[in-house]
Amino acid sequence: MKKKALSILLAGAMLSTMLTACGDKAPAPVADNNAADNTNTEAPADTNAAADNTNTDANTDAAVDTGDEGAVLNIYCWNEEFKTRVEDHYPGYEKNASEPTQGSIGDITVKWNITPNTDNAYQNNLDETLLNQDSAAADDKIDLFLIEADYALKYVDSDFSMPLKDLGVTDADLANQYQYTKDVVTDGNGVLKGASWQGCPGVLFYNREVAKEVLGTDDPDEVQEYVKDWDTFYETAATMKDAGYSMISSVNDSYRVYSNNVSSKWVVDGKINIDASIEKWVEDSKAMVDAEQTGTHALWSDDWSKGFYPEGKVFAYFGPAWLVNFSMAADQAGSIGNAGGWGAATGPQGFFWGGTWICAATGTDNAGTIKDIILQLTANEDIMKEIVIADDDFVNNKPAMEAMAADTSYSSKILGGQNPLGMYCDGAGSIDLSNLSNYDQGCNEEFQNAMKNYFEGNATYDEALQLFYTAVTEKYPELTY
């Protein structure tokens, strides 16, 4: 087992830098992942749901009995998002007022090891610690760690992640979750190795004031008519440019929409493969840059973030619920989100971006507690509804989300009172992960990095393509092109 896990993790450790995403205020995914290290300081919505962490789910009675568990629960993650979910919603969790990286569940001390994604630091730290898991003292072993879609297979296909069935989590427990969230963390033998509380279908978030000024309306259904397909989207981009606005902040904003609609994998029979949808992103992005309808800013950069404020003059951003909630300055005075100034439309194509999965580390002595955390935060319908109301998230429970989508009493403050859950539900049900591969993180990141040279006129397309091939084969020497 050790040799298998060791070889996989060392190979994975060669992956390059990436800012991961997923509900993570800075996450994900790739040069465009969840977002860099974004701490959630957002105030809860106007609800008392988060404060009352009472579990009323019939099959997950109170918080777990910790009597037979280890003394310390070590959790490894890259930002504060999951920590706030546990603090706000897990029954019986107690904060440590004097030590913010610690808390308690019954008699168990919870220790949060938070390492930002910058320069691949989170994965490097996780890998190094997992490689020493067998020899570590019981209270020093990793018990629970988090992963994202772009590199999930690296850990799911290793022996360091436990099958959920070994924790006592059954298929019936997770029956209401969206299938794609289970596919991401299912290993090559069909064994489920993780669970997520969130779904991450993407939409187009647009500036309501700009929509009213330029399009004459901020109604989501009417705005959708201006972005309903790519041809219409680019016609609207020209209109926005004439009015003094960028259609999107950066070409990288649209990348995930194209890359999630590919018909083939990044690597086929050991050879790097550039799908037609990726090539179309290059063509369309180059045209936008040349027409001065968008920029080439890196995601999470200061220039990219200017559009979170009115003076940034950006019409729209593509993203899932975590983006508008965690990464678009919704908790900052003067921001568009703080004023409820965003709206959501389906956009030209469905896609997904990011997500965070909970994995139990092999060797944990807190299996019962981890099981309960998974059941409470990813399968307890009452708690999952609390998360939506308090945190503006979209959660991984199909019946709960469909019910709330039809509930006229629910609305998002950030989205100006709109209920976007129906849009998210439609998107979550159509996500296709058949073209997911072990190479997605590195290829996605390096392709965007290389094409920036082409978009800015510093290289021809062929020269930029060669930069991409060189970077990827250095990262993955086993590949050809």
Side-chain angles (χ1 to χ4, degrees), residues 373-393:
I373 289 172
I374 289 174
L375 291 179
Q376 300 284 13
L377 293 186
T378 80
N380 183 322
E381 189 168 321
D382 291 333
I383 290 177
M384 300 190 85
K385 287 180 178 178
E386 288 178 5
I387 292 173
V388 176
I389 294 169
D391 306 312
D392 248 329
D393 210 345

Side-chain angles (χ1 to χ4, degrees), residues 26 34 50 63 93 108 117 123 160-161 295 406 414 431 460 470:
N34 243 33
Y93 183 88
I108 296 174
N117 279 313
Q123 287 188 62
F160 282 113
S161 55
I414 299 171
I431 293 173
T460 65
T470 299

Side-chain angles (χ1 to χ4, degrees), residues 97 179 307 311 324 369:
Q179 184 58 43
E311 58 270 22
V324 72
T369 304

Side-chain angles (χ1 to χ4, degrees), residues 395-414:
V395 297
N396 191 17
N397 187 291
K398 187 174 181 181
M401 291 301 87
E402 290 177 346
M404 291 189 71
D407 184 354
T408 56
S409 68
Y410 170 74
S411 64
S412 166
K413 283 187 174 181
I414 299 171

Side-chain angles (χ1 to χ4, degrees), residues 101-112:
T101 61
Q102 292 187 17
S104 61
I105 299 173
D107 295 331
I108 296 174
T109 297
V110 179
K111 293 185 177 180
W112 296 92

